[in-house]
């Protein structure tokens, strides 16, 4: 082999080494995916995350696992994801609390809900439902308001944590009606519901999916939903707005977000797979049976939704005077 041939061969080897294919990364995903749920098992956030994880596992043959990290109204789990590597292998099932309410409610936040995350997809919208323990002598929203005013301070309302839509729905109810009720925060919907069923607290504005089985079993009495329209899962139950409080609306939503800087192609791939699932009759019927409405859309759609909800809940927090140090 002459000198010219040697030089050409050497140059070709350098070109191959510099090629993106020489050090190509394995196709994503090539290892398990973690979906952090910032609340305990059993609540709506957990239910939706596990459904999404199952579909990801089926689609990509890599295990998608749910990691429950409850505390501080979702801030602990959200902070964990915000500070995780931006490689697509750690995501958060974010909520209206972690990505709209908490920014206004908490004096100090451990993360920036816009700057530190890449929106992936809005998964579901869920009305909250006002439920009371059977011992409460009220069969309608009007009767509950009358009872609360006649018995100031006697009613305690539970929530899945300070700053959740469940909490803020109660605060909005207090501001709107003048009813005096004490807020009792829990570390998630499941323990709050447990105490409500036991009569330790008297009422709750819970996410419909986690309250629905207890309503159907007759263990809790539903008085109204917080959405603008009636919930298909409980079509005979009036909205709170049509029960004498026009304009009252305080619903929840849930969506996947990833750490800021996650590769756009990964965000697009996750969005596409979850969107395909949400568009199926199976998904819509499954979510509807639990009281949730399948959402979807692009990452940009979700980003705009987060911005609009942040502005809305900022006004509610200001009006209620609610604050968490």
């Amino acid at each position: 082999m002459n000198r010219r041939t040697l030089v050409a061969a050497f140059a070709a080897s350098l070109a191959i080494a510099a090629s993106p294919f020489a050090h190509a990364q394995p196709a994503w995903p090539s290892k398990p995916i973690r979906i952090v749920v910032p609340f305990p098992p059993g609540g709506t956030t957990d239910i939706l995350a596990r459904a999404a994880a199952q579909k990801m596992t089926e689609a990509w043959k890599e295990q998608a696992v749910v990691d429950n990290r409850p505390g501080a109204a979702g801030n602990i789990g959200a902070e964990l994801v915000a500070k995780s590597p931006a490689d697509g292998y750690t995501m958060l099932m974010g909520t209206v609390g972690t990505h709209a309410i908490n920014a206004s409610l908490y004096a100090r936040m451990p993360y920036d809900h816009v700057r530190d995350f890449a929106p992936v997809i809005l998964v579901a919208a869920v009305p909250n439902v006002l439920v009371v323990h059977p011992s409460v002598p009220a069969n309608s929203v009007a009767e509950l308001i009358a009872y609360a005013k006649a018995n100031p301070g006697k009613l305690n309302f539970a929530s899945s944590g300070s700053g959740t839509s469940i909490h803020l729905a109660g605060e909005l109810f207090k501001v709107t009606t003048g009813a005096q009720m004490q807020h009792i925060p829990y570390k998630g919907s499941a323990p709050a519901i447990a105490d409500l069923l036991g009569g330790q607290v008297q009422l709750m504005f819970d996410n419909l999916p986690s309250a629905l089985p207890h309503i159907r079993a007759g263990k809790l009495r539903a008085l109204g939903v917080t959405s603008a329209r009636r919930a298909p899962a409980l079509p005979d139950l009036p909205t709170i707005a049509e029960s004498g409080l026009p304009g009252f609306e305080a619903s929840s939503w849930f969506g996947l977000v990833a750490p800021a800087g996650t590769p756009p192609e990964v965000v697009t791939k996750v969005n596409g797979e979850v969107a395909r699932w949400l568009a199926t009759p199976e998904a819509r019927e499954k979510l509807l049976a639990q009281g949730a409405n399948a959402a979807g859309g692009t990452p940009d759609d979700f980003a705009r939704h987060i911005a609009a909800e942040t502005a809305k809940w900022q006004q509610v927090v200001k009006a209620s005077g609610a604050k968490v140090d």
Side-chain angles (χ1 to χ4, degrees), residues 198-209:
Q200 282 83 8
V201 289
Q202 289 72 50
L203 66 132
M204 185 175 176
F205 290 81
D206 194 27
N207 297 152
L208 184 53

Side-chain angles (χ1 to χ4, degrees), residues 34-41 46 66-81 92 187:
R34 176 173 60 155
I35 301 178
V36 173
V37 170
F39 298 99
D46 184 70
V66 170
D67 182 6
N68 296 89
R69 297 295 184 99
N75 284 351
I76 290 175
E79 180 186 12
L80 172 66
V81 175
L92 176 78
K187 292 183 178 180

Side-chain angles (χ1 to χ4, degrees), residues 9 13 22 84 140 321:
S13 67
S84 293
S140 67

Side-chain angles (χ1 to χ4, degrees), residues 150-221:
N151 299 272
K154 190 173 182 178
L155 293 177
N156 295 322
F157 75 96
S159 81
S160 55
S162 296
T164 60
S165 71
I166 296 172
H167 168 208
L168 267 293
E171 296 292 348
L172 183 60
F173 189 81
K174 288 169 59 179
V175 169
T176 306
T177 64
Q180 294 184 32
M181 306 185 300
Q182 180 65 38
H183 173 226
I184 308 296
Y186 289 80
K187 292 183 178 180
S189 179
I193 281 284
D195 270 10
L196 179 57
L197 290 169
Q200 282 83 8
V201 289
Q202 289 72 50
L203 66 132
M204 185 175 176
F205 290 81
D206 194 27
N207 297 152
L208 184 53
S210 50
L212 195 55
H214 306 294
I215 296 170
R216 287 174 171 164
K219 295 179 180 179
L220 295 176
R221 185 185 306 128

